[in-house]
């Protein structure tokens, strides 16, 4: 096709919704017919505005939704720092600030909204800010460094978030709200009062029902004067008095706009001009603009669908919200304010505990219409689903909100009830996943995506899974095996608390029987994590899986593979030669592994000590390829060679691999370190992944390859070397203590109530005060590490088992034979046991003595 | 022909561990339980088709002494050789005598009881 037959689609605004639109357009093939040109006024590519406040902790890079700065699809052009000044629908062009004009076939407005700054005198003085972009936050941070008192004008959701930010920046913080209560859009009066009390406890000063008369100051703000005449002196003002859709381009082009602002769109997001579309916060559907990101994402998908001539329609969105504001749970859903005719309120309030719950019920008392929860929002998931599915209320609806009811006793949601509204997953979908074999809520999340976005439906998902099992007469049995009626985490604590050192003590006190191939290795792993003794110590070796018992990986024909550690994948030519010589001399198959090291296959039990003697003498250590332990820390070449590298990723990978080598854990552990955001080490596919930034390192956790791949999520950003190591120490020890057997970090994080946020609380914010203890546990591991293989070849007692036969130590097992493929050995298929025939065993057998 | 072959001393086998022995050219797995009973099975794992059973984990299932194959974890009863995860499969057992602290295994395979 000749290029000028292609059409051009222009997107104005590269915010969250504009970005989502482009992603969907590329995914669904719109770029097959259109060249897509994206014009964004901000200097940065789209970033996670919802998480804006975490900028102070994690920095700008971590918030980016397009870290590489550009789309991979060459048919998409992204122009940042480019403001569209005018739109001409007649000539189908937009013009930029510098006069350049760009023609379009289709135009998508995704210009978002702008903070509303009330026109009070002094609103434009120095020291007055809004809270919308990363630049805004940078400016606030700089001003706060020179200030002691700040005020936020506006006590809504965003205002409280901004107030919390000022408080964290060390300012004495005031909040001014014209309405008689905080968060008036979401909560009712009584809920607002309880919220106010929570907020005041944190040391914020709240002024409600107060109008601002004037901001004081000559050049820079010095104070605020209220309508009553009272003046509070201060140095920083943040306006957070609501937002206004950025609909100027549409207005000036003569497109229809809604009464209260916003570009008017139909059910397919088309404006009054057939070639102009509007999505996100700048759009008004049926006169209404949505200040949340989820409806914007839905609009983006539907607009792409419409451009592909699909039939999808936007029918409005659920405005239910649940959030943790300043540590307080606040949720509102459905008709929270009871505006439906004849509706009845049902209220539970406990001012001392700081809990307020209200249900809005239909006039006939049969349906739940909406509600407000403050201080305890655990029932949110069920209640929201009850509203959307219009199921009948139970006889005593008050039961739904009495304390300690985490949902709805006696209420059964119908199959079609939408449990996860972010991803439109119904109860039926969830039960289907369980029928299909999912045994845990975490598995259901992976299979159905329920709970994978905002996470607020997770308790509900868990309950449905448990109820389902209960209805089948199955108790979800969390026992390790028939010998221990507890989970691995519980066992870990039992061992720690009692200070047990042997399997015998543990099974006698807390188990039954003599254990099995499930619990014995678990006990071995727990003892190893706590005591770090040798895995082949006399009372330990019979607990180990064969891989640990022979410090090598068993293969299909009963031989073993040998994997020496090559920290960070860096190796000298001399050492490479040694590996080659050992492989050649013992006739082993060699292969480069996916973990940046070399695997030598086909070693017989009795050969392992001699092979390792050679390797240890050359300076190699065990690579623990056999253990539920640290495997590798993969590295990219980093700043020492690579022209893009900003930190020495190889040095860091080596340091981390050496630090955590030998660490026994619930499942294997892998790490990665990349020297820049290009991420050549695939660190985000690892349990802990480190990516260099200009200022230090970003730490990602919970990545996984394997059957259920997961990208690691950002835990903390811009750490220096010491902070990075401290965070990984804590993260790994927390995992080791609390994860289940064979649970990788990604499923472990999913299984925690609160997920990654919980991990961050414990690891970064040290909410449980466990930080030092976890670091000390890791320090003990590091201090007591010895190379398992070196210790083994030096100890005749440990070597005793490395024989082919107890009565013929060096006679090869006749069942092992090799063929050859591509010039190397391969196991030969077995057709049944092979006998060696009568052999003379000589006189050296140590038997017959009493 | 049946005859007893001296294999090793009882102390050469870890309690709740196993060793591999050559008994008249046959490869046999010899296990010692917590109660110091000694049992011998063919070492060949009929599922994994490899000579590995002596390297499995010894433990109990209910009140039976068992070993789990190190390849794919099928569990075998040490007394009878019966696979408890698939009762259609059984490995041969060899009678064992411990005399004066020395473990003797009978050479010819016994027929399953
Ligand atoms: C040798 C190697 C394949 C290769 O030739 O490249 C390999 C081989 C085995 N892998 Fe792997 N994996 C190897 C890299 C990987 C990778 C890639 C990586 O590490 O970068 C992955 C995906 C990344 C990840 O783990 O998240 C990988 C995901 C798995 C899994 C799935 C784990 C999961 O969470 O789903 C298993 C199964 C398991 O552990 O339960 C597994 C298990 C195994 C076992 C241990 C299976 C077994 O029990 O016999 C294989 C025997 C190893 C041996 O040496 O005999 N291997 N395996 C790689 C060794 C890396 C190393 O140097 O240590
Ligand atoms: C602090 C904060 C917390 C929030 N918390 C939540 C929350 O918890 N949950 C939730 O659902 N929502 C939350 N939101 C709202 C959410 O961020 C918005 O709904 C979402 O960002 C809207 O996306 P958008 O793409 O429509 O607009 P935006 O993300 O604002 O993007 C619009 C982009 O268009 C650009 N632009 C505008 N005009 C032009 C022009 N003429 N030419 C070129 N470019 C232009 C702008 O510079 C901007 O980059 C929060 C917002 C903030 C500020
Ligand atoms: S991640 Fe960056 S520093 Fe490392 S090799 Fe790739 S481009 Fe170079
Ligand atoms: S409701 Fe947000 S993830 Fe389910």
């Amino acid at each position: 096709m000749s290029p000028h037959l292609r059409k051009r689609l222009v997107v104005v605004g590269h915010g969250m919704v504009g970005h989502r639109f482009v992603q969907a357009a590329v995914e669904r093939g719109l770029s097959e017919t259109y060249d897509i040109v994206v014009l964004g006024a901000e200097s940065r590519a789209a970033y996670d505005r919802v998480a804006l406040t975490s900028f102070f902790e994690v920095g700008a890079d971590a918030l980016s939704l397009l870290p590489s700065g550009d789309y991979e699809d060459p048919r998409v052009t992204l122009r940042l720092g480019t403001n569209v000044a005018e739109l001409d629908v007649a000539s189908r062009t937009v013009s930029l600030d510098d006069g350049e004009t760009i023609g379009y076939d289709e135009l998508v407005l995704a210009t978002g909204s702008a903070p509303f700054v009330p026109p009070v005198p002094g609103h434009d003085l120095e020291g007055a800010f809004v809270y919308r972009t990363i630049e805004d936050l940078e400016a606030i941070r700089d001003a706060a460094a020179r200030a002691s008192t700040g005020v936020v004008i506006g006590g809504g959701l965003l205002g409280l978030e901004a107030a919390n930010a000022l408080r964290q920046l060390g300012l004495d913080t005031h909040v001014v709200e014209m309405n008689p209560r905080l968060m008036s859009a979401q909560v009712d009066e009584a809920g607002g009062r309880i919220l106010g009390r929570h907020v005041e406890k944190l040391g914020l000063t709240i002024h409600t029902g107060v109008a601002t008369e004037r901001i004081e100051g000559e050049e820079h703000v010095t104070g605020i004067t209220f309508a009553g005449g009272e003046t509070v002196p201060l140095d920083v003002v943040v306006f957070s008095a609501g937002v206004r859709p950025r609909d100027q381009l549409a207005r000036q082009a003569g497109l229809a706009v809604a009464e209260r602002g916003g570009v008017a769109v139909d059910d397919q997001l088309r404006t009054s001009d057939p070639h102009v579309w509007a999505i996100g916060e700048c759009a008004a559907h049926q006169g209404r603009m949505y200040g949340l990101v989820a409806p914007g994402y839905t609009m983006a998908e539907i607009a792409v669908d419409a451009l592909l001539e699909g039939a999808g329609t936007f029918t409005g969105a659920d405005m239910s919200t649940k959030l943790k504001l300043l540590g307080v749970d606040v949720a509102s859903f459905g008709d929270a304010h009871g505006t439906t005719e004849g509706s009845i309120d049902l209220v539970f309030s406990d001012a001392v505990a700081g809990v307020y719950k209200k249900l809005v019920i239909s006039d006939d008392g049969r349906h739940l219409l909406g509600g407000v929860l403050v201080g305890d929002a655990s029932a949110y998931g069920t209640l929201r689903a009850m509203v959307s599915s219009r199921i009948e209320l139970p006889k005593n609806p008050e039961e739904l909100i009495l304390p300690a009811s985490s949902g709805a006793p006696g209420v059964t949601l119908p199959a079609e009830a939408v449990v996860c509204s972010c991803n439109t997953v119904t109860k039926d979908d969830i039960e289907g996943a369980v029928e299909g074999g999912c045994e845990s809520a975490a598995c259901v999340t992976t299979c159905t995506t329920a709970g994978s976005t905002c996470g607020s439906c997770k308790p509900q998902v868990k309950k449905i899974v448990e109820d389902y099992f209960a209805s089948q007469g199955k108790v979800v049995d969390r026992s390790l095996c028939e010998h221990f009626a507890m989970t691995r985490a519980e066992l870990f604590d039992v061992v720690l608390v009692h200070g047990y050192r042997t399997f015998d003590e543990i099974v006698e006190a807390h188990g039954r029987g003599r254990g099995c191939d499930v619990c014995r290795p678990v006990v071995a792993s727990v003892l190893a994590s706590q005591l770090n003794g040798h895995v082949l110590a006399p009372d330990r070796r019979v607990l180990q899986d064969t891989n640990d018992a022979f410090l090598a990986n068993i293969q299909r024909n009963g031989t073993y593979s040998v994997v020496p550690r090559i920290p960070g994948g860096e190796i000298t030519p001399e050492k490479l030669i040694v590996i080659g010589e050992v492989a050649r001399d013992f006739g082993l198959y060699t292969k480069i592994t996916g973990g940046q090291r070399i695997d030598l296959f086909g070693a017989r039990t009795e050969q392992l000590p001699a092979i390792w003697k050679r390797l240890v003498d050359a300076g190699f250590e065990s690579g623990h390829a056999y253990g539920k332990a640290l495997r590798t820390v993969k590295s990219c070449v980093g700043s020492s060679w690579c022209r893009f590298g900003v930190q020495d990723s190889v040095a860091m990978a080596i340091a981390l691999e050496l630090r955590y080598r030998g660490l026994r854990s619930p499942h294997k552990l892998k790490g990665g370190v990349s020297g820049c955001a290009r991420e050549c080490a695939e660190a985000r596919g690892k349990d802990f992944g480190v990516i260099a930034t200009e200022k230090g390192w970003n730490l990602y956790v919970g990545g996984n390859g394997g059957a259920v791949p997961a990208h690691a999520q950002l835990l903390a950003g811009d750490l220096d070397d010491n902070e990075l190591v401290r965070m990984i120490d804590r993260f790994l020890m927390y995992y080791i203590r609390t994860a289940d057997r064979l649970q990788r970090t990604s499923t472990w994080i999913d299984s925690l109530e609160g997920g990654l946020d919980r991990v961050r609380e414990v690891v970064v914010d040290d909410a449980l005060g466990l930080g030092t203890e976890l670091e000390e546990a890791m320090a003990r591991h590091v201090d007591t590490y010895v190379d398992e293989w070196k210790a083994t070849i030096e100890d005749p007692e440990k070597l005793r088992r490395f024989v082919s036969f107890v009565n013929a130590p060096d006679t090869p097992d006749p069942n092992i034979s090799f063929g050859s493929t591509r010039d190397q050995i391969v196991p030969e298929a077995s057709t049944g046991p092979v006998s060696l025939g009568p052999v003379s065993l000589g006189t050296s057998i140590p038997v017959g003595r009493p | 022909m049946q005859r007893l072959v001296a294999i090793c001393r009882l102390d050469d086998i870890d309690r709740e561990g196993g060793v591999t022995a050559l008994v008249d050219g046959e490869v046999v797995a010899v296990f010692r339980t917590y109660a110091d009973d000694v049992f011998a099975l063919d070492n060949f794992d009929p599922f994994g088709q490899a000579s590995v059973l002596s390297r499995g984990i010894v433990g109990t299932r209910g009140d039976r002494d068992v070993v789990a194959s190190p390849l794919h974890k099928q569990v075998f009863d040490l007394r009878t050789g019966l696979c408890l995860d698939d009762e259609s499969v059984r490995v041969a057992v060899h009678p064992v005598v411990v005399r004066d602290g020395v473990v003797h295994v009978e050479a010819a395979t016994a027929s399953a009881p």
Side-chain angles (χ1 to χ4, degrees):
Chain A
M1 190 170 35
S2 79
H4 58 265
L5 288 182
R6 290 177 60 79
K7 293 191 277 181
R8 184 185 291 147
L9 178 99
V10 172
V11 180
V12 185
H14 196 240
M16 299 184 76
V17 175
H19 170 63
R20 179 61 164 259
F21 174 87
V22 177
Q23 278 184 317
V26 171
E27 261 166 40
R28 298 192 50 189
L30 203 55
S31 54
E32 301 297 326
T33 29
Y34 287 95
D35 286 324
I36 300 178
V37 178
V38 190
L39 307 170
E42 287 186 70
S43 61
R44 289 190 167 77
Y47 50 87
D48 186 355
R49 209 179 295 288
V50 171
L52 190 64
T53 304
S54 67
F55 163 76
F56 293 124
E57 277 163 48
V58 304
D61 289 350
L63 292 180
S64 181
L65 299 176
L66 193 63
S68 66
D70 225 329
Y71 290 96
E72 257 170 43
D73 189 328
R75 295 160 300 195
V76 180
T77 314
L78 174 60
R79 293 178 61 181
L80 296 172
T82 307
N83 187 57
V84 174
E86 235 173 288
L87 159 63
D88 182 354
V89 294
S91 65
R92 287 203 215 157
T93 53
V94 292
S95 38
L96 309 183
D97 279 351
D98 63 3
E100 180 185 345
T101 61
I102 299 175
Y104 66 80
D105 294 289
E106 301 291 335
L107 181 77
V108 175
L109 297 171
T111 49
S113 63
F116 168 66
V117 178
V120 291
H123 69 267
D124 48 3
L125 289 172
E126 256 176 57
F129 303 95
V130 293
Y131 201 83
R132 179 83 192 175
T133 65
I134 289 183
E135 272 74 24
D136 294 335
L137 267 63
E138 282 171 339
I140 292 172
R141 182 179 57 190
D142 294 347
R146 286 168 269 114
S148 58
T149 306
V151 65
V152 175
I153 299 183
L157 196 150
L158 292 187
L160 291 181
E161 214 175 298
N164 193 32
L166 292 190
R167 185 178 74 100
Q168 281 169 352
L169 289 169
L171 300 193
D172 181 10
T173 305
H174 296 252
V175 177
V176 182
E177 169 58 53
M178 246 169 39
N179 278 298
R181 63 175 186 275
L182 296 176
M183 278 183 68
S184 54
Q186 286 83 12
V187 305
D188 59 7
E189 201 187 322
R193 256 203 317 275
I194 297 227
L195 180 65
R197 218 166 291 149
H198 273 294
V199 172
E200 278 176 342
K201 262 197 227 144
L202 292 170
L204 273 68
T205 313
I206 309 290
H207 312 261
T208 44
V210 175
T212 303
E213 177 93 16
R214 175 167 74 243
I215 310 292
E216 306 288 349
E218 301 270 298
E219 259 178 42
H220 195 282
V221 299
T222 55
I224 181 171
T225 301
F226 299 132
E230 187 198 351
T231 299
V232 177
L234 50 87
D235 331 275
V236 169
V237 178
V238 177
F239 286 102
S240 182
V243 294
R244 295 287 179 272
R246 294 176 75 166
D247 54 12
Q248 298 84 341
L249 287 175
R251 279 179 194 271
Q252 151 265 309
L255 301 181
V257 291
E259 200 181 323
R260 279 180 292 163
V263 189
V265 290
D266 65 12
D267 287 355
Q268 290 206 304
L269 290 319
R270 201 186 301 253
T271 66
S272 54
D273 181 283
H275 298 287
V276 181
W277 312 72
I279 56 178
E281 281 193 345
C282 68
H285 177 256
Q286 297 188 346
R288 176 163 188 200
M289 75 81 84
Y290 291 90
L292 295 173
V293 72
Y297 280 177
T298 309
M299 290 179 184
E301 302 280 352
I302 289 168
V304 170
D305 190 62
L307 281 158
L308 288 165
E309 281 156 36
T313 53
F314 183 79
T315 52
D318 184 7
M319 292 293 278
S320 301
T321 30
K322 176 188 165 194
L323 54 150
K324 214 180 185 84
L325 259 186
L326 299 134
V328 189
D329 279 330
V330 182
S332 81
F333 51 94
D335 179 11
H337 295 287
T339 52
T340 311
E341 275 248 355
S343 63
I344 313 161
D345 287 359
L346 196 66
V347 175
F348 167 83
S349 164
D350 179 346
V352 181
V355 174
Y356 171 84
K357 303 181 188 177
K358 179 180 86 171
L359 298 184
V360 178
I361 291 171
S362 64
D363 55 356
D364 57 5
R366 289 172 60 189
H367 297 288
L368 184 62
L369 302 175
V372 174
L373 306 169
V374 177
D376 169 14
S378 50
Y380 173 69
T382 322
L383 297 177
R384 184 182 57 179
M386 285 180 70
V387 173
S388 64
S389 61
R390 285 193 62 81
I391 69 166
E392 246 183 68
L393 280 168
K395 287 237 160 47
N396 308 314
E398 63 278 7
E399 295 263 309
L400 296 173
I401 50 171
L402 287 178
S405 96
S406 66
V411 171
T412 326
L413 294 175
E416 68 280 6
V418 173
V419 173
C420 172
S421 60
C422 288
N423 303 295
T424 331
V425 182
T426 62
K427 181 181 173 201
D428 201 31
D429 298 333
I430 294 170
E431 292 187 340
V434 179
E435 269 162 35
C438 272
E439 291 190 348
S440 65
C443 172
V444 168
T445 298
T446 314
C447 287
T448 63
T449 70
S452 61
T453 309
C454 75
S456 70
C457 59
K458 276 191 178 176
Q460 193 55 28
V461 172
K462 191 163 160 223
K463 189 161 183 307
I464 292 176
V465 173
E466 281 166 6
D467 287 354
Y468 181 85
F469 280 126
S471 76
Q472 304 290 302
K474 263 205 260 179
V475 192
V476 189
D477 184 7
R478 307 192 59 223
S479 305
L480 206 48
C481 61
E482 67 174 65
H483 306 103
F484 287 96
M486 54 179 101
T487 62
R488 181 191 177 280
E490 286 159 354
L491 186 67
F492 193 102
D493 287 339
V494 163
V495 174
L496 192 67
V497 169
H498 294 271
Y500 294 129
R501 307 185 72 88
T502 65
F503 177 75
D504 288 353
E505 288 172 315
I506 299 167
V507 80
E508 266 153 37
H510 302 278
R512 66 181 90 89
R514 289 301 305 167
C516 63
D517 58 298
V518 171
C519 61
R520 287 181 156 248
V522 167
V523 169
S525 160
V526 166
L527 289 173
S529 297
Q530 293 184 14
L531 307 171
N532 203 22
H534 200 287
V535 294
L536 298 187
D539 55 333
R540 296 274 179 84
R541 65 180 167 212
V542 294
L543 304 179
Q544 312 291 358
D545 259 319
T546 186
N547 284 4
D548 277 299
F550 289 91
L551 307 174
N553 294 55
I554 197 166
Q555 304 298 317
R556 56 189 318 131
N557 64 346
T559 60
Y560 288 86
S561 74
V562 169
V563 187
R565 186 169 297 292
I566 300 181
E570 184 185 77
I571 186 165
T572 60
E574 284 70 28
K575 283 188 149 180
L576 271 176
I577 290 168
V578 171
I579 291 185
E581 286 174 347
V582 169
R584 183 195 58 207
D585 295 351
F586 289 86
L588 305 173
Y589 167 90
T590 54
K591 179 177 182 300
I592 311 285
T593 72
Q596 292 190 333
R597 47 192 188 168
I598 300 172
D599 206 341
L600 318 177
F601 293 81
R604 285 177 279 126
T605 331
E606 68 275 18
Q607 293 179 308
L608 288 170
I611 292 172
W612 271 103
K613 174 87 175 60
R614 292 265 299 268
L615 293 171
V616 167
D617 286 348
F620 285 106
E621 294 190 345
S622 166
H624 297 98
Y626 46 81
K628 299 294 174 235
L630 179 81
R631 295 282 166 91
T632 60
V633 180
K634 184 173 177 177
S635 77
C636 77
V637 66
S639 61
S640 45
W641 287 91
C642 176
R643 64 199 161 120
F644 294 117
V646 292
Q647 306 282 348
D648 189 348
S649 50
V650 179
M652 181 52 80
I654 294 174
L656 294 176
E657 185 159 341
L658 295 181
R659 183 170 181 81
Y660 304 121
R661 65 188 159 178
L663 181 66
R664 290 296 198 284
S665 49
H667 205 317
K668 59 189 167 196
L669 279 171
K670 298 175 180 184
V673 184
S674 280
C676 80
R678 286 170 192 75
E679 242 285 71
C680 299
E682 301 174 305
R684 288 193 64 196
K686 305 296 180 204
D687 297 284
F688 58 98
V690 178
I691 302 178
T693 67
E694 297 281 350
K695 299 193 202 93
W697 308 97
N698 283 349
L699 172 60
Y700 296 81
V701 295
N704 202 172
V708 187
H711 265 134
Q713 302 296 313
L714 186 78
L715 184 69
D718 286 334
L719 303 168
D720 67 26
D721 290 8
N722 290 331
E723 288 166 342
L724 173 70
V725 167
R726 227 177 62 220
M727 289 305 133
I728 306 180
D729 279 3
R730 289 182 182 183
F731 171 75
L732 292 180
M733 272 299 164
Y734 181 41
Y735 163 66
I736 287 174
R737 287 204 173 178
T738 57
D740 252 332
R741 165 180 177 267
L742 297 188
Q743 192 176 39
R744 287 292 288 270
T745 52
S746 97
T747 32
W748 166 68
I749 293 173
D750 275 351
S751 74
L752 294 175
E753 199 123 349
L756 183 68
D757 288 338
R758 181 63 184 159
V759 174
R760 194 176 286 116
E761 275 169 26
V762 173
V763 172
V764 183
D765 309 335
D766 199 7
L768 299 182
L770 270 180
T772 328
E773 193 182 325
L774 298 173
E775 286 167 42
E776 283 169 1
M778 190 62 84
R780 267 196 306 283
H781 164 78
V782 175
D783 293 343
T784 53
Y785 166 83
V786 285
D787 173 26
E788 259 155 37
W789 259 113
K790 184 167 193 299
T792 301
I793 56 179
E794 285 169 354
D795 179 358
E797 168 56 24
K798 294 195 174 65
L799 283 178
R800 230 161 34 91
R801 294 188 70 187
F802 291 86
V803 293
S804 50
F805 299 107
V806 67
N807 55 348
D810 296 318
T811 306
D813 187 328
N815 288 286
I816 298 171
S817 60
F818 298 100
S820 140
T821 298
R822 293 183 297 277
D823 300 331
Q824 297 204 68
I825 58 161
V826 283
E828 217 152 47
S830 158
T831 49
V834 176
S835 162
L836 201 56
V839 280
S840 154
L841 296 172
T843 52
S844 62
I845 316 160
V847 299
R849 281 164 288 135
Chain B
M1 190 198 78
Q2 301 201 336
R3 72 186 177 91
L4 285 179
V5 178
I7 295 302
C8 61
R9 289 184 303 162
L10 180 62
D11 292 348
D12 291 334
I13 314 178
D14 285 328
R15 185 167 280 150
E16 301 185 298
V19 296
T20 331
L22 262 183
V23 182
D24 243 11
E26 306 283 339
V27 182
V28 174
V30 186
F31 302 98
R32 173 179 174 187
T33 67
Y34 186 64
D36 281 345
D37 292 325
V38 181
F39 300 103
L41 305 178
D42 260 8
N43 196 45
F44 197 79
D45 171 357
F47 295 97
Q49 292 279 307
S51 175
V52 294
L53 285 187
S54 64
R55 289 176 255 156
I57 288 181
V58 175
T60 57
R61 182 174 286 184
D63 45 22
R64 308 196 212 202
D65 290 308
V66 296
V67 63
S69 163
L71 282 178
H72 297 121
K73 309 284 157 132
Q74 293 87 356
V75 165
F76 297 89
D77 187 326
L78 293 185
R79 272 164 226 273
T80 63
L82 186 69
C83 173
L84 300 183
D85 294 318
D86 178 352
E87 300 206 348
S88 68
V89 176
R90 185 190 287 271
V91 296
V93 295
H94 299 253
V96 175
V97 176
V98 181
R99 203 184 290 150
D100 297 334
V102 175
V103 178
H104 298 74
V105 176
E106 200 164 282
T109 14
S111 57

